[in-house]
Amino acid sequence: MCSSSGKRELFFFFPSLVADCGSPALNSNMEDDRLSDLPPNIVESILTRLPIREAVKTSILSRSWRYKWASLTKLVFDDNCVDSLGDFTKDIFVNFVTRCLFLHQGPIHMFKLSTSYLQYVPDIDQWILFLSRNDIKELVLELGEGEWFRVPSCLFNCSKLTRLELVNCELDPPPTFKGFPNLRILTLHQVLVAADAIESLISSCPVLENLSLSYFDSLAMTISAPNLKYLNLEGEFKDICLENTPALVALSVAMYMTDDIAEHFEQSSSCKFVKFLGGTPLLEHLIGQIYFTKYLSIGDYPATFSITYDRLKVIELYQVSFEDMKEILVVLRLITSSPNLRELTISGSSNTVASAVVTTDLDFWEEECPSDCTFGQLKSVKMTDLSCVPHELEFIKFILRNSPILETMRVSPSSYVKDKTVNMLMQLVRFRRASAQAELIFEHE
């Protein structure tokens, strides 16, 4: 089954792989004919499903397969590849990748380097230079924690890039960089980059559709991306402005709070709700994690501003403080501006921020909630980690009273308020329901 010349060549370039190849078990000519008759699309399908190490070993199957693997357009070097190399050392892995690229023929459309075993090695610069000359379209660099890998300037010459993912890297676009004209997906995780550099990078990708920024520290930035549809933000953001994102359909935000950022928020007077959600009319799915509603509550909401989220069907808000009147107003503003809302998930938080406006005035609900409000499409509501404070109950009452087709209302109190759960349940069952089929499910440990 093994081609002797192919095996000699494999030994020359990949000596560590030959030991696993074994000896021929069938007539080589017969196998050669069978394998040679496979259609090209089947061959490619087989090779793309194999780890790169196994794909390289197919070069000894027959003469016609000797260079099949070398024309793969997708190359993935990950921890599975590392594990299969036996007595692993960093040098063995680096040499393996280098030799694969050296023997490769034709374009490389996707290159993924994802391993915790590597941080910075100079060879990566050479790999990226090689890829920049081979029509690379998708590039993923996920390196281990430790020394930051400074992305070489040749990366910014990859004008055909459609997807770029960087983890544990340092990014510094050169002054001559004019953007990635074809980039649709950009993911930056624990990337060291200046605020103005990342703003410029985003705005210079005219067809960008999917953006994910995570684990950034004290970053204040403005995002301008007219074709952006999916946005994920996670980190210690001082300020975020969605200046030009009219096509956004899905948004997930988690904001971590430090003392410096909290002080910065207290000194701010601009309305964060308008700066962040004032220009996203096509939004369909909104996920607000920790401190998101707190952030949106900062500043005075302008009386003349109005927006309707006609397409917003799913809202998830976590760690909402129902002891803070401004956060409650943010929640009400969102749901009453979403006439086609179908699913609502809210988790409470008993942590009252020092600057919060605490209120027990239940007249607030008569004053702030529109009397003609109806959630005509709302079918599912889930309320978790509740502290049994009065405003949580008033909110549930408001939803039940104005949701004519509601099917389920799930309520789950926090484990820290066990002594209040019985009283909470007694009040819940008395609330009037606009929907005759609405089922109230009380989940308690």
Side-chain angles (χ1 to χ4, degrees), residues 405-423:
I405 67 168
L406 186 68
E407 295 176 357
T408 58
M409 163 73 80
R410 294 181 179 272
V411 178
S412 175
S414 168
S415 59
Y416 297 105
V417 291
K418 293 180 180 179
D419 57 326
K420 300 180 181 179
T421 55
V422 174
N423 181 58

Side-chain angles (χ1 to χ4, degrees), residues 236-396:
E236 298 173 3
F237 294 98
K238 275 190 173 181
D239 203 4
I240 307 171
C241 177
L242 303 185
E243 185 178 75
N244 182 22
T245 56
L248 199 62
V249 297
L251 173 62
S252 177
V253 185
M255 307 184 74
Y256 304 131
M257 193 76 69
T258 64
D259 292 340
D260 290 342
I261 293 177
E263 183 179 353
H264 174 78
F265 283 173
E266 291 175 9
Q267 297 173 353
S268 178
S269 59
S270 61
C271 179
K272 304 302 183 185
F273 189 103
V274 174
K275 288 181 66 176
F276 200 87
L277 295 176
T280 57
L282 303 184
L283 203 59
E284 297 177 8
H285 193 160
L286 173 63
I287 302 176
Q289 302 281 355
I290 183 171
Y291 290 118
F292 181 63
T293 52
K294 176 62 183 175
Y295 175 77
L296 293 184
S297 71
I298 296 170
D300 297 325
Y301 191 81
T304 57
F305 180 81
S306 176
I307 186 172
T308 300
Y309 303 103
D310 288 318
R311 301 188 182 186
L312 189 53
K313 296 179 176 64
V314 180
I315 295 178
E316 301 175 44
L317 301 173
Y318 298 93
Q319 297 198 21
V320 177
S321 174
F322 279 89
E323 297 172 306
D324 185 342
M325 186 174 66
K326 286 193 171 183
E327 286 196 48
I328 298 173
L329 283 172
V330 166
V331 177
L332 291 175
R333 192 171 295 130
L334 275 172
I335 64 175
T336 56
S337 299
S338 307
N340 295 304
L341 183 64
R342 296 181 182 179
E343 297 178 26
L344 176 63
T345 299
I346 295 179
S347 76
S349 171
S350 60
N351 298 323
T352 303
V353 180
S355 61
V357 180
V358 180
T359 176
T360 56
D361 182 8
L362 299 184
D363 291 339
F364 160 83
W365 293 94
E366 297 297 330
E367 298 168 359
E368 297 295 339
C369 298
S371 57
D372 58 346
C373 174
T374 301
F375 303 109
Q377 303 297 321
L378 187 60
K379 293 185 176 182
S380 173
V381 178
K382 186 175 182 179
M383 304 281 296
T384 64
D385 293 322
L386 301 183
S387 302
C388 303
V389 298
H391 286 294
E392 291 172 342
L393 292 169
E394 289 298 318
F395 180 79
I396 295 173

